[in-house]
Every structure is written in C-alpha cells, then in structure tokens.
Amino acid sequence: MVELGGRTVSLIRYRVDGREVLIAASDRAFAMPADARPVSDERDAPWLASRGDVNLACLSQPVHRLVVGALPPERLLEIGRRLPDG
C-alpha cells in the first residue's frame, strides 16, 4: 500500500502480452479525466483514456481499480474485469 494524492492505494504490477501493466486499487473512485470516454451511459460505468502511448481503463464495480499500460484500452478493461474482487 502507498499513499497517493491523499488516498491509500494498493499497487500490483503484471506482465501481460509482453508489456508491463500496473493495477491500482482504492477504496475511493478514481477521478475521470475530461477527455476520458465512458464505455456506457450506466452509472459508475468503466471509462477509458489515453496519455501518449499509455492507456488507462478505470472500473468502479465491484472495486475501484485503475489499469494502466501500453496495451489497447479495451484489453486493459478486459484485464480489470477478470481480476478477483479482493
């Protein structure tokens, strides 16, 4: 666990498809950047964003999780959805 921006975050690093992927989990939702795109109109829908070669997928259900890496954002979303809830 680390303290980032006033919140406690668990960080886990994986190697997926030959690339590093960082997963951050928090007890609070991650803020959605202005240029992010929600994947649906549902409340607490996951969102996707990009920063250069790095993509982000953020999920709020069942836990608040941010998945970051140089993989397509849809692949990061799939990874986030497959992780255990704990």
Side-chain angles (χ1 to χ4, degrees):
M1 300 258 197
V2 296
E3 179 96 6
L4 294 174
R7 83 170 66 211
T8 301
V9 178
S10 299
L11 297 174
I12 302 171
R13 186 177 63 173
Y14 291 102
R15 190 148 190 88
V16 178
D17 301 339
R19 308 263 178 145
E20 294 291 323
V21 173
L22 182 68
I23 293 120
S26 175
D27 61 351
R28 294 184 306 177
F30 291 95
M32 184 170 72
D35 61 342
R37 59 189 191 283
V39 299
S40 75
D41 291 333
E42 296 177 19
R43 184 179 188 276
D44 293 330
W47 54 261
L48 306 173
S50 297
R51 295 288 181 273
D53 293 339
V54 176
N55 293 304
L56 302 93
C58 187
L59 300 94
S60 291
Q61 299 296 327
V63 295
H64 301 292
R65 187 175 285 143
L66 187 64
V67 185
V68 182
L71 293 172
E74 293 78 13
R75 177 75 171 114
L76 296 174
L77 182 60
E78 174 188 337
I79 291 165
R81 286 180 168 156
R82 289 185 175 195
L83 292 169
D85 295 347

